Amino acid sequence: MATAWQRWTHVTKVDPEKPLHREDSYAAIADTGTDAIIIGGTTNVTEKRVQQLVTALASVEIPIFVEPTYQPTEFYRHGLSGYLIPIVLNTGDRMWMVGAHQEWVRSMDINWEYIQTEAYIVLNPASSVATYTQANCDLDRDDVVAYAELAEHILGQEIVYLEYSGTLGDPTIVAAARDTLSSARLFYGGGIHDYDSAYEMASVADTVIVGDVLHEAGIEAVAETVRGVTDAQHKS
Ligand code: 1GP
Protein backbone atom coordinates (compact mmCIF):
# COMPACT_ATOMS: atom_id res chain seq x y z
CA MET A 1 0.00 0.00 0.00
CA ALA A 2 2.85 2.25 0.95
CA THR A 3 2.55 4.91 -1.70
CA ALA A 4 -0.82 4.30 -3.35
CA TRP A 5 -2.05 7.66 -2.06
CA GLN A 6 0.59 9.54 -4.06
CA ARG A 7 -1.45 9.07 -7.22
CA TRP A 8 -4.87 9.90 -5.82
CA THR A 9 -6.58 13.00 -7.15
CA HIS A 10 -10.13 12.23 -5.95
CA VAL A 11 -11.10 10.24 -2.88
CA THR A 12 -14.52 9.42 -1.46
CA LYS A 13 -14.91 9.32 2.29
CA VAL A 14 -17.68 7.06 3.56
CA ASP A 15 -19.05 7.78 7.01
CA PRO A 16 -20.06 4.49 8.66
CA GLU A 17 -22.78 6.29 10.60
CA LYS A 18 -24.53 7.86 7.61
CA PRO A 19 -26.78 5.94 5.21
CA LEU A 20 -26.22 6.08 1.49
CA HIS A 21 -28.52 8.15 -0.69
CA ARG A 22 -31.74 6.41 -1.75
CA GLU A 23 -31.00 3.17 -3.65
CA ASP A 24 -27.25 3.70 -3.99
CA SER A 25 -25.01 0.72 -3.31
CA TYR A 26 -21.54 0.68 -1.78
CA ALA A 27 -20.21 -1.25 -4.75
CA ALA A 28 -21.26 1.58 -7.11
CA ILE A 29 -18.91 4.09 -5.43
CA ALA A 30 -16.00 2.71 -7.48
CA ASP A 31 -17.96 3.28 -10.70
CA THR A 32 -17.74 7.04 -10.16
CA GLY A 33 -14.05 6.98 -11.10
CA THR A 34 -12.91 7.96 -7.60
CA ASP A 35 -9.39 6.72 -6.85
CA ALA A 36 -9.93 5.32 -3.36
CA ILE A 37 -12.36 5.02 -0.49
CA ILE A 38 -11.65 6.18 3.03
CA ILE A 39 -13.91 4.86 5.76
CA GLY A 40 -14.06 7.46 8.49
CA GLY A 41 -16.20 9.86 10.44
CA THR A 42 -16.02 11.88 13.61
CA THR A 43 -18.91 10.81 15.80
CA ASN A 44 -20.15 7.39 16.89
CA VAL A 45 -17.75 5.45 14.68
CA THR A 46 -17.26 1.96 16.06
CA GLU A 47 -14.87 -0.78 15.00
CA LYS A 48 -17.80 -3.13 14.43
CA ARG A 49 -19.54 -0.75 12.06
CA VAL A 50 -16.30 -0.11 10.18
CA GLN A 51 -15.75 -3.83 9.73
CA GLN A 52 -19.32 -4.23 8.44
CA LEU A 53 -18.61 -1.53 5.91
CA VAL A 54 -15.37 -3.18 4.80
CA THR A 55 -17.41 -6.34 4.21
CA ALA A 56 -20.03 -4.38 2.24
CA LEU A 57 -17.22 -3.02 0.06
CA ALA A 58 -15.65 -6.43 -0.55
CA SER A 59 -16.30 -6.43 -4.30
CA VAL A 60 -14.79 -2.98 -4.82
CA GLU A 61 -11.45 -3.00 -6.61
CA ILE A 62 -10.12 0.44 -5.68
CA PRO A 63 -8.05 0.85 -2.48
CA ILE A 64 -9.98 1.02 0.79
CA PHE A 65 -8.44 2.70 3.81
CA VAL A 66 -9.76 3.16 7.32
CA GLU A 67 -9.19 6.46 9.09
CA PRO A 68 -9.90 5.45 12.68
CA THR A 69 -11.38 7.85 15.21
CA TYR A 70 -11.88 4.97 17.63
CA GLN A 71 -9.30 2.75 19.27
CA PRO A 72 -8.85 -0.29 17.00
CA THR A 73 -8.63 -3.45 19.08
CA GLU A 74 -7.47 -5.69 16.28
CA PHE A 75 -5.33 -5.05 13.26
CA TYR A 76 -7.93 -5.66 10.60
CA ARG A 77 -6.38 -6.47 7.25
CA HIS A 78 -8.91 -8.46 5.27
CA GLY A 79 -10.22 -6.32 2.40
CA LEU A 80 -8.26 -3.27 3.50
CA SER A 81 -5.33 -1.50 1.86
CA GLY A 82 -4.29 0.17 5.10
CA TYR A 83 -4.95 2.75 7.76
CA LEU A 84 -4.67 6.51 7.52
CA ILE A 85 -3.85 7.95 10.92
CA PRO A 86 -4.75 11.60 11.55
CA ILE A 87 -2.49 13.82 13.61
CA VAL A 88 -4.36 17.06 14.28
CA LEU A 89 -1.86 19.91 14.36
CA ASN A 90 -4.19 22.62 15.66
CA THR A 91 -5.99 20.54 18.27
CA GLY A 92 -6.40 21.81 21.81
CA ASP A 93 -6.37 18.23 23.11
CA ARG A 94 -3.17 16.21 22.94
CA MET A 95 -5.31 13.09 22.56
CA TRP A 96 -5.73 14.01 18.89
CA MET A 97 -2.07 14.72 18.35
CA VAL A 98 -0.28 11.81 20.00
CA GLY A 99 -2.41 10.65 22.95
CA ALA A 100 -4.73 8.14 21.28
CA HIS A 101 -1.86 7.09 19.06
CA GLN A 102 0.35 6.23 22.00
CA GLU A 103 -2.40 4.15 23.60
CA TRP A 104 -3.01 2.35 20.32
CA VAL A 105 0.67 1.59 19.70
CA ARG A 106 0.97 0.32 23.25
CA SER A 107 -2.09 -1.89 22.95
CA MET A 108 -1.14 -3.99 19.93
CA ASP A 109 1.46 -5.07 17.44
CA ILE A 110 1.13 -2.81 14.44
CA ASN A 111 2.26 -3.72 10.97
CA TRP A 112 3.69 -0.35 9.99
CA GLU A 113 3.73 -1.26 6.34
CA TYR A 114 -0.01 -0.57 6.33
CA ILE A 115 0.10 2.74 8.17
CA GLN A 116 0.19 6.21 6.67
CA THR A 117 -0.14 9.33 8.79
CA GLU A 118 -1.87 12.55 7.76
CA ALA A 119 -1.16 15.96 9.30
CA TYR A 120 -4.59 17.53 9.73
CA ILE A 121 -5.29 21.23 9.96
CA VAL A 122 -8.94 21.65 10.94
CA LEU A 123 -10.40 24.88 9.57
CA ASN A 124 -14.19 24.93 9.92
CA PRO A 125 -15.03 25.92 13.51
CA ALA A 126 -18.66 24.82 13.01
CA SER A 127 -17.73 21.22 12.13
CA SER A 128 -17.99 18.34 14.54
CA VAL A 129 -14.35 17.48 13.94
CA ALA A 130 -13.42 20.98 15.17
CA THR A 131 -15.59 20.55 18.25
CA TYR A 132 -14.29 17.08 19.06
CA THR A 133 -10.65 18.00 18.62
CA GLN A 134 -11.09 21.43 20.25
CA ALA A 135 -9.31 22.83 17.25
CA ASN A 136 -8.17 26.41 17.09
CA CYS A 137 -9.59 27.36 13.69
CA ASP A 138 -8.84 31.04 14.11
CA LEU A 139 -5.98 30.87 11.65
CA ASP A 140 -5.01 33.19 8.84
CA ARG A 141 -3.20 32.20 5.68
CA ASP A 142 0.27 32.55 7.18
CA ASP A 143 -0.74 30.41 10.17
CA VAL A 144 -1.96 27.63 7.90
CA VAL A 145 1.12 27.87 5.69
CA ALA A 146 3.35 27.62 8.77
CA TYR A 147 1.50 24.52 9.96
CA ALA A 148 1.90 22.94 6.53
CA GLU A 149 5.59 23.77 6.41
CA LEU A 150 6.28 22.43 9.89
CA ALA A 151 4.27 19.31 9.12
CA GLU A 152 6.60 18.51 6.25
CA HIS A 153 9.94 19.73 7.53
CA ILE A 154 9.73 19.28 11.29
CA LEU A 155 7.35 16.35 11.62
CA GLY A 156 8.32 14.68 8.34
CA GLN A 157 4.72 14.27 7.25
CA GLU A 158 4.02 13.19 3.69
CA ILE A 159 0.36 14.23 3.66
CA VAL A 160 -1.02 17.57 4.84
CA TYR A 161 -4.82 17.54 5.04
CA LEU A 162 -6.75 20.83 5.08
CA GLU A 163 -10.04 19.82 6.66
CA TYR A 164 -12.91 22.24 6.03
CA SER A 165 -15.46 19.48 6.66
CA GLY A 166 -18.96 20.73 5.81
CA THR A 167 -17.98 23.97 4.13
CA LEU A 168 -16.03 25.01 1.06
CA GLY A 169 -12.67 26.43 2.06
CA ASP A 170 -10.75 29.47 0.94
CA PRO A 171 -8.91 28.52 -2.29
CA THR A 172 -6.22 31.14 -1.69
CA ILE A 173 -5.32 29.48 1.62
CA VAL A 174 -5.34 26.03 0.03
CA ALA A 175 -3.11 27.23 -2.82
CA ALA A 176 -0.69 28.89 -0.40
CA ALA A 177 -0.44 25.70 1.66
CA ARG A 178 0.28 23.61 -1.42
CA ASP A 179 2.84 26.09 -2.69
CA THR A 180 4.80 25.86 0.53
CA LEU A 181 5.14 22.07 0.35
CA SER A 182 8.17 20.56 -1.35
CA SER A 183 7.18 16.94 -1.77
CA ALA A 184 4.37 16.38 0.72
CA ARG A 185 0.94 16.02 -0.83
CA LEU A 186 -1.83 18.47 -0.06
CA PHE A 187 -5.19 16.84 0.63
CA TYR A 188 -8.27 19.06 0.69
CA GLY A 189 -11.67 18.12 2.09
CA GLY A 190 -14.82 20.11 2.76
CA GLY A 191 -17.97 21.22 1.00
CA ILE A 192 -17.27 19.80 -2.45
CA HIS A 193 -20.72 19.08 -3.85
CA ASP A 194 -20.68 19.56 -7.63
CA TYR A 195 -18.49 19.92 -10.71
CA ASP A 196 -17.54 23.54 -10.08
CA SER A 197 -16.53 23.19 -6.45
CA ALA A 198 -14.50 20.06 -7.31
CA TYR A 199 -12.83 21.85 -10.22
CA GLU A 200 -11.99 24.86 -8.08
CA MET A 201 -10.39 22.89 -5.26
CA ALA A 202 -8.61 20.40 -7.53
CA SER A 203 -6.96 23.42 -9.14
CA VAL A 204 -5.27 24.31 -5.84
CA ALA A 205 -4.88 20.95 -4.05
CA ASP A 206 -3.21 17.67 -5.03
CA THR A 207 -6.03 15.44 -3.82
CA VAL A 208 -9.63 16.32 -3.04
CA ILE A 209 -11.82 14.33 -0.69
CA VAL A 210 -15.61 14.32 -0.88
CA GLY A 211 -17.79 13.11 1.96
CA ASP A 212 -21.27 14.51 2.56
CA VAL A 213 -22.12 14.69 -1.15
CA LEU A 214 -22.13 10.88 -1.27
CA HIS A 215 -24.61 10.57 1.58
CA GLU A 216 -26.73 13.60 0.75
CA ALA A 217 -26.82 13.70 -3.05
CA GLY A 218 -25.62 10.27 -4.12
CA ILE A 219 -23.37 8.42 -6.52
CA GLU A 220 -24.15 10.51 -9.61
CA ALA A 221 -23.23 13.70 -7.76
CA VAL A 222 -19.94 12.09 -6.70
CA ALA A 223 -19.27 11.19 -10.34
CA GLU A 224 -19.81 14.84 -11.24
CA THR A 225 -17.13 15.85 -8.71
CA VAL A 226 -14.76 13.30 -10.27
CA ARG A 227 -15.31 14.96 -13.64
CA GLY A 228 -14.52 18.35 -12.11
CA VAL A 229 -11.28 17.03 -10.63
CA THR A 230 -10.26 15.29 -13.86
CA ASP A 231 -10.82 18.43 -15.91
CA ALA A 232 -8.85 20.55 -13.42
CA GLN A 233 -5.93 18.11 -13.60
CA HIS A 234 -5.91 18.12 -17.40
CA LYS A 235 -5.95 21.89 -17.47
CA SER A 236 -2.76 22.12 -15.42
C1 1GP B 1 -14.58 15.15 5.72
O1 1GP B 1 -12.89 16.19 4.40
C2 1GP B 1 -14.02 15.37 4.36
O2 1GP B 1 -13.60 14.57 6.55
C3 1GP B 1 -15.03 15.81 3.35
O3 1GP B 1 -15.80 16.89 3.78
O4 1GP B 1 -18.11 16.00 4.06
O5 1GP B 1 -17.71 18.44 3.60
O6 1GP B 1 -17.34 16.73 1.81
P1 1GP B 1 -17.33 17.03 3.29
Side-chain angles (χ1 to χ4, degrees):
M1 90 100 191
T3 54
W5 52 269
Q6 287 178 347
R7 293 184 300 277
W8 297 345
T9 57
H10 182 289
V11 175
T12 303
K13 194 179 279 191
V14 184
D15 189 328
E17 284 310 298
K18 294 183 185 165
L20 291 180
H21 186 67
R22 299 200 181 133
E23 305 299 310
D24 284 351
S25 71
Y26 288 109
I29 297 171
D31 300 337
T32 62
T34 194
D35 294 313
I37 292 172
I38 297 176
I39 300 173
T42 305
T43 51
N44 303 321
V45 180
T46 63
E47 187 164 33
K48 182 161 177 249
R49 187 70 192 102
V50 167
Q51 291 182 354
Q52 286 169 344
L53 202 41
V54 174
T55 303
L57 288 163
S59 65
V60 168
E61 289 184 358
I62 56 176
I64 299 170
F65 283 76
V66 170
E67 194 178 59
T69 44
Y70 56 91
Q71 190 77 250
T73 61
E74 60 177 298
F75 200 81
Y76 194 68
R77 276 283 300 122
H78 187 68
L80 270 191
S81 297
Y83 289 83
L84 294 168
I85 307 296
I87 297 167
V88 183
L89 301 184
N90 58 329
T91 180
D93 178 355
R94 68 174 288 284
M95 201 66 188
W96 290 91
M97 193 170 303
V98 289
H101 316 62
Q102 193 243 8
E103 286 174 21
W104 183 46
V105 172
R106 198 189 149 131
S107 71
M108 69 166 68
D109 281 335
I110 293 169
N111 185 340
W112 292 104
E113 202 184 322
Y114 297 100
I115 302 297
Q116 174 66 48
T117 55
E118 308 164 302
Y120 261 69
I121 307 167
V122 176
L123 291 165
N124 175 12
S127 63
S128 44
V129 58
T131 306
Y132 265 76
T133 62
Q134 297 171 36
N136 171 17
C137 305
D138 186 18
L139 303 175
D140 64 17
R141 191 175 65 168
D142 291 347
D143 292 324
V144 174
V145 166
Y147 269 130
E149 203 172 329
L150 85 82
E152 180 171 32
H153 296 289
I154 295 180
L155 300 177
Q157 293 297 296
E158 297 174 302
I159 296 173
V160 175
Y161 191 135
L162 297 195
E163 173 62 289
Y164 280 92
S165 178
T167 190
L168 203 59
D170 178 341
T172 65
I173 292 182
V174 181
R178 182 170 72 171
D179 287 349
T180 201
L181 298 176
S182 306
S183 61
R185 206 163 166 89
L186 201 272
F187 280 24
Y188 169 85
I192 292 177
H193 59 281
D194 59 7
Y195 178 95
D196 289 342
S197 51
Y199 186 97
E200 180 177 37
M201 287 307 175
S203 302
V204 287
D206 297 313
T207 303
V208 304
I209 291 103
V210 302
D212 285 349
V213 68
L214 169 71
H215 300 283
E216 290 168 9
I219 296 283
E220 187 40 45
V222 173
E224 212 185 289
T225 67
V226 174
R227 287 191 280 277
V229 169
T230 305
D231 287 354
Q233 300 288 333
H234 287 153
K235 170 202 67 171
S236 55

